[in-house]
mmCIF file of all heavy atoms in Angstrom:
data_model
loop_
_atom_site.group_PDB
_atom_site.id
_atom_site.type_symbol
_atom_site.label_atom_id
_atom_site.label_comp_id
_atom_site.label_asym_id
_atom_site.label_seq_id
_atom_site.Cartn_x
_atom_site.Cartn_y
_atom_site.Cartn_z
ATOM 1 N N ARG M 15 -9.344 6.205 15.628
ATOM 2 C CA ARG M 15 -8.997 6.302 17.055
ATOM 3 C C ARG M 15 -9.701 5.193 17.836
ATOM 4 O O ARG M 15 -9.116 4.589 18.738
ATOM 5 C CB ARG M 15 -9.389 7.671 17.596
ATOM 6 C CG ARG M 15 -9.040 7.884 19.070
ATOM 7 C CD ARG M 15 -9.482 9.267 19.528
ATOM 8 N NE ARG M 15 -9.096 9.512 20.902
ATOM 9 C CZ ARG M 15 -9.786 9.115 21.972
ATOM 10 N NH1 ARG M 15 -10.916 8.443 21.794
ATOM 11 N NH2 ARG M 15 -9.365 9.383 23.184
ATOM 12 N N GLU M 16 -10.959 4.928 17.493
ATOM 13 C CA GLU M 16 -11.710 3.867 18.163
ATOM 14 C C GLU M 16 -11.061 2.495 17.902
ATOM 15 O O GLU M 16 -11.029 1.635 18.778
ATOM 16 C CB GLU M 16 -13.156 3.870 17.687
ATOM 17 C CG GLU M 16 -13.936 5.102 18.146
ATOM 18 C CD GLU M 16 -15.372 5.095 17.658
ATOM 19 O OE1 GLU M 16 -15.719 4.175 16.872
ATOM 20 O OE2 GLU M 16 -16.145 5.983 18.063
ATOM 21 N N LYS M 17 -10.570 2.309 16.667
ATOM 22 C CA LYS M 17 -9.897 1.051 16.343
ATOM 23 C C LYS M 17 -8.611 0.889 17.155
ATOM 24 O O LYS M 17 -8.293 -0.200 17.636
ATOM 25 C CB LYS M 17 -9.573 1.000 14.846
ATOM 26 C CG LYS M 17 -10.787 0.876 13.938
ATOM 27 C CD LYS M 17 -10.367 0.899 12.478
ATOM 28 C CE LYS M 17 -11.571 0.860 11.548
ATOM 29 N NZ LYS M 17 -11.146 0.938 10.127
ATOM 30 N N VAL M 18 -7.868 1.993 17.298
ATOM 31 C CA VAL M 18 -6.633 1.950 18.079
ATOM 32 C C VAL M 18 -6.945 1.643 19.543
ATOM 33 O O VAL M 18 -6.266 0.837 20.182
ATOM 34 C CB VAL M 18 -5.844 3.280 17.962
ATOM 35 C CG1 VAL M 18 -4.648 3.285 18.902
ATOM 36 C CG2 VAL M 18 -5.377 3.492 16.525
ATOM 37 N N GLN M 19 -7.996 2.267 20.073
ATOM 38 C CA GLN M 19 -8.391 2.029 21.459
ATOM 39 C C GLN M 19 -8.794 0.565 21.665
ATOM 40 O O GLN M 19 -8.428 -0.071 22.663
ATOM 41 C CB GLN M 19 -9.565 2.942 21.835
ATOM 42 C CG GLN M 19 -9.883 2.964 23.324
ATOM 43 C CD GLN M 19 -8.768 3.577 24.164
ATOM 44 O OE1 GLN M 19 -8.402 4.724 23.961
ATOM 45 N NE2 GLN M 19 -8.229 2.792 25.083
ATOM 46 N N ALA M 20 -9.532 0.011 20.690
ATOM 47 C CA ALA M 20 -9.940 -1.388 20.768
ATOM 48 C C ALA M 20 -8.717 -2.304 20.678
ATOM 49 O O ALA M 20 -8.634 -3.339 21.366
ATOM 50 C CB ALA M 20 -10.917 -1.714 19.650
ATOM 51 N N ALA M 21 -7.747 -1.911 19.834
ATOM 52 C CA ALA M 21 -6.526 -2.712 19.689
ATOM 53 C C ALA M 21 -5.715 -2.710 20.988
ATOM 54 O O ALA M 21 -5.102 -3.724 21.351
ATOM 55 C CB ALA M 21 -5.681 -2.175 18.535
ATOM 56 N N ILE M 22 -5.717 -1.586 21.690
ATOM 57 C CA ILE M 22 -5.031 -1.511 22.990
ATOM 58 C C ILE M 22 -5.646 -2.514 23.963
ATOM 59 O O ILE M 22 -4.932 -3.238 24.677
ATOM 60 C CB ILE M 22 -5.106 -0.082 23.544
ATOM 61 C CG1 ILE M 22 -4.236 0.863 22.705
ATOM 62 C CG2 ILE M 22 -4.654 -0.037 25.010
ATOM 63 C CD1 ILE M 22 -4.392 2.326 23.046
ATOM 64 N N GLU M 23 -6.968 -2.551 23.988
ATOM 65 C CA GLU M 23 -7.659 -3.501 24.870
ATOM 66 C C GLU M 23 -7.326 -4.943 24.491
ATOM 67 O O GLU M 23 -7.137 -5.798 25.367
ATOM 68 C CB GLU M 23 -9.175 -3.272 24.797
ATOM 69 C CG GLU M 23 -9.641 -1.925 25.328
ATOM 70 C CD GLU M 23 -9.314 -1.752 26.806
ATOM 71 O OE1 GLU M 23 -9.391 -2.742 27.547
ATOM 72 O OE2 GLU M 23 -8.960 -0.624 27.206
ATOM 73 N N GLN M 24 -7.238 -5.210 23.186
ATOM 74 C CA GLN M 24 -6.886 -6.555 22.731
ATOM 75 C C GLN M 24 -5.484 -6.939 23.212
ATOM 76 O O GLN M 24 -5.255 -8.049 23.683
ATOM 77 C CB GLN M 24 -6.939 -6.630 21.200
ATOM 78 C CG GLN M 24 -8.351 -6.682 20.627
ATOM 79 C CD GLN M 24 -8.327 -6.752 19.111
ATOM 80 O OE1 GLN M 24 -8.180 -5.745 18.428
ATOM 81 N NE2 GLN M 24 -8.474 -7.950 18.575
ATOM 82 N N LYS M 25 -4.557 -5.979 23.072
ATOM 83 C CA LYS M 25 -3.176 -6.233 23.497
ATOM 84 C C LYS M 25 -3.116 -6.480 25.010
ATOM 85 O O LYS M 25 -2.385 -7.362 25.479
ATOM 86 C CB LYS M 25 -2.296 -5.038 23.127
ATOM 87 C CG LYS M 25 -2.016 -4.881 21.643
ATOM 88 C CD LYS M 25 -0.807 -5.696 21.232
ATOM 89 C CE LYS M 25 -0.360 -5.349 19.827
ATOM 90 N NZ LYS M 25 0.838 -6.127 19.428
ATOM 91 N N ILE M 26 -3.857 -5.705 25.779
ATOM 92 C CA ILE M 26 -3.875 -5.872 27.231
ATOM 93 C C ILE M 26 -4.368 -7.267 27.603
ATOM 94 O O ILE M 26 -3.869 -7.893 28.544
ATOM 95 C CB ILE M 26 -4.757 -4.790 27.888
ATOM 96 C CG1 ILE M 26 -4.101 -3.411 27.747
ATOM 97 C CG2 ILE M 26 -5.007 -5.101 29.368
ATOM 98 C CD1 ILE M 26 -4.969 -2.256 28.185
ATOM 99 N N ASN M 27 -5.332 -7.749 26.831
ATOM 100 C CA ASN M 27 -5.911 -9.070 27.095
ATOM 101 C C ASN M 27 -5.146 -10.207 26.413
ATOM 102 O O ASN M 27 -5.623 -11.341 26.372
ATOM 103 C CB ASN M 27 -7.381 -9.096 26.659
ATOM 104 C CG ASN M 27 -8.245 -8.179 27.487
ATOM 105 O OD1 ASN M 27 -8.068 -8.084 28.708
ATOM 106 N ND2 ASN M 27 -9.176 -7.489 26.859
ATOM 107 N N GLY M 28 -3.967 -9.882 25.863
ATOM 108 C CA GLY M 28 -3.113 -10.903 25.282
ATOM 109 C C GLY M 28 -3.543 -11.392 23.918
ATOM 110 O O GLY M 28 -3.086 -12.456 23.460
ATOM 111 N N LYS M 29 -4.392 -10.624 23.240
ATOM 112 C CA LYS M 29 -4.852 -11.037 21.909
ATOM 113 C C LYS M 29 -4.046 -10.330 20.821
ATOM 114 O O LYS M 29 -3.582 -9.209 21.010
ATOM 115 C CB LYS M 29 -6.339 -10.722 21.751
ATOM 116 C CG LYS M 29 -7.234 -11.472 22.727
ATOM 117 C CD LYS M 29 -8.683 -11.069 22.530
ATOM 118 C CE LYS M 29 -9.594 -11.794 23.511
ATOM 119 N NZ LYS M 29 -11.020 -11.397 23.336
ATOM 120 N N GLU M 30 -3.901 -11.012 19.699
ATOM 121 C CA GLU M 30 -3.197 -10.431 18.565
ATOM 122 C C GLU M 30 -4.159 -9.585 17.726
ATOM 123 O O GLU M 30 -5.352 -9.884 17.642
ATOM 124 C CB GLU M 30 -2.574 -11.524 17.690
ATOM 125 C CG GLU M 30 -1.355 -12.192 18.315
ATOM 126 C CD GLU M 30 -0.193 -11.218 18.497
ATOM 127 O OE1 GLU M 30 0.017 -10.383 17.605
ATOM 128 O OE2 GLU M 30 0.474 -11.300 19.543
ATOM 129 N N ILE M 31 -3.604 -8.587 17.082
ATOM 130 C CA ILE M 31 -4.412 -7.743 16.201
ATOM 131 C C ILE M 31 -4.458 -8.383 14.820
ATOM 132 O O ILE M 31 -3.425 -8.757 14.268
ATOM 133 C CB ILE M 31 -3.822 -6.326 16.093
ATOM 134 C CG1 ILE M 31 -3.800 -5.669 17.476
ATOM 135 C CG2 ILE M 31 -4.619 -5.475 15.120
ATOM 136 C CD1 ILE M 31 -3.075 -4.349 17.501
ATOM 137 N N THR M 32 -5.660 -8.519 14.279
ATOM 138 C CA THR M 32 -5.808 -9.095 12.944
ATOM 139 C C THR M 32 -6.333 -8.030 11.992
ATOM 140 O O THR M 32 -7.201 -7.232 12.350
ATOM 141 C CB THR M 32 -6.782 -10.284 12.960
ATOM 142 O OG1 THR M 32 -8.039 -9.853 13.497
ATOM 143 C CG2 THR M 32 -6.223 -11.426 13.807
ATOM 144 N N ALA M 33 -5.795 -8.023 10.774
ATOM 145 C CA ALA M 33 -6.220 -7.046 9.772
ATOM 146 C C ALA M 33 -7.593 -7.436 9.237
ATOM 147 O O ALA M 33 -7.851 -8.614 8.982
ATOM 148 C CB ALA M 33 -5.209 -6.984 8.638
ATOM 149 N N PRO M 34 -8.498 -6.487 9.064
ATOM 150 C CA PRO M 34 -9.832 -6.803 8.540
ATOM 151 C C PRO M 34 -9.751 -7.191 7.064
ATOM 152 O O PRO M 34 -8.852 -6.767 6.349
ATOM 153 C CB PRO M 34 -10.590 -5.491 8.729
ATOM 154 C CG PRO M 34 -9.545 -4.436 8.681
ATOM 155 C CD PRO M 34 -8.339 -5.045 9.329
ATOM 156 N N LYS M 35 -10.707 -7.997 6.641
ATOM 157 C CA LYS M 35 -10.765 -8.392 5.234
ATOM 158 C C LYS M 35 -11.338 -7.239 4.415
ATOM 159 O O LYS M 35 -12.389 -6.696 4.741
ATOM 160 C CB LYS M 35 -11.631 -9.638 5.070
ATOM 161 C CG LYS M 35 -11.015 -10.896 5.690
ATOM 162 C CD LYS M 35 -11.908 -12.099 5.430
ATOM 163 C CE LYS M 35 -11.268 -13.374 6.022
ATOM 164 N NZ LYS M 35 -12.130 -14.572 5.797
ATOM 165 N N GLU M 36 -10.596 -6.877 3.390
ATOM 166 C CA GLU M 36 -11.034 -5.767 2.540
ATOM 167 C C GLU M 36 -11.835 -6.298 1.357
ATOM 168 O O GLU M 36 -11.524 -7.351 0.794
ATOM 169 C CB GLU M 36 -9.817 -4.986 2.018
ATOM 170 C CG GLU M 36 -8.958 -4.376 3.115
ATOM 171 C CD GLU M 36 -9.539 -3.104 3.688
ATOM 172 O OE1 GLU M 36 -10.578 -2.645 3.179
ATOM 173 O OE2 GLU M 36 -8.965 -2.586 4.659
ATOM 174 N N LYS M 37 -12.892 -5.552 0.997
ATOM 175 C CA LYS M 37 -13.663 -5.925 -0.185
ATOM 176 C C LYS M 37 -12.851 -5.639 -1.439
ATOM 177 O O LYS M 37 -12.139 -4.647 -1.526
ATOM 178 C CB LYS M 37 -14.969 -5.133 -0.225
ATOM 179 C CG LYS M 37 -15.947 -5.500 0.883
ATOM 180 C CD LYS M 37 -17.237 -4.701 0.739
ATOM 181 C CE LYS M 37 -18.228 -5.065 1.828
ATOM 182 N NZ LYS M 37 -19.489 -4.281 1.693
ATOM 183 N N LYS M 38 -12.979 -6.522 -2.406
ATOM 184 C CA LYS M 38 -12.279 -6.304 -3.666
ATOM 185 C C LYS M 38 -12.937 -5.175 -4.433
ATOM 186 O O LYS M 38 -14.152 -5.069 -4.504
ATOM 187 C CB LYS M 38 -12.296 -7.584 -4.502
ATOM 188 C CG LYS M 38 -11.461 -8.727 -3.923
ATOM 189 C CD LYS M 38 -11.462 -9.919 -4.858
ATOM 190 C CE LYS M 38 -10.590 -11.046 -4.303
ATOM 191 N NZ LYS M 38 -10.562 -12.235 -5.208
ATOM 192 N N THR M 39 -12.098 -4.321 -4.995
ATOM 193 C CA THR M 39 -12.614 -3.198 -5.780
ATOM 194 C C THR M 39 -12.413 -3.478 -7.254
ATOM 195 O O THR M 39 -11.401 -4.043 -7.658
ATOM 196 C CB THR M 39 -11.893 -1.888 -5.401
ATOM 197 O OG1 THR M 39 -10.485 -2.067 -5.572
ATOM 198 C CG2 THR M 39 -12.176 -1.521 -3.962
ATOM 199 N N THR M 40 -13.384 -3.084 -8.030
ATOM 200 C CA THR M 40 -13.291 -3.286 -9.479
ATOM 201 C C THR M 40 -12.907 -1.971 -10.139
ATOM 202 O O THR M 40 -13.300 -0.895 -9.691
ATOM 203 C CB THR M 40 -14.622 -3.774 -10.047
ATOM 204 O OG1 THR M 40 -15.651 -2.839 -9.699
ATOM 205 C CG2 THR M 40 -14.982 -5.150 -9.480
#
């Protein structure tokens, strides 16, 4: 929910949402 709220703020400010880099799993 916090990520979605932060993404809303990014969209309001005209920024694109970028996917976080995931750690490789073995």
Side-chain angles (χ1 to χ4, degrees):
R15 181 181 183 276
E16 292 180 355
K17 291 177 183 178
V18 174
Q19 191 66 59
I22 291 172
E23 295 298 323
Q24 285 180 279
K25 288 273 191 179
I26 291 172
N27 294 320
K29 297 178 181 179
E30 287 296 321
I31 299 172
T32 56
K35 292 182 179 180
E36 300 281 356
K37 292 182 179 180
K38 292 184 178 180
T39 56
T40 57

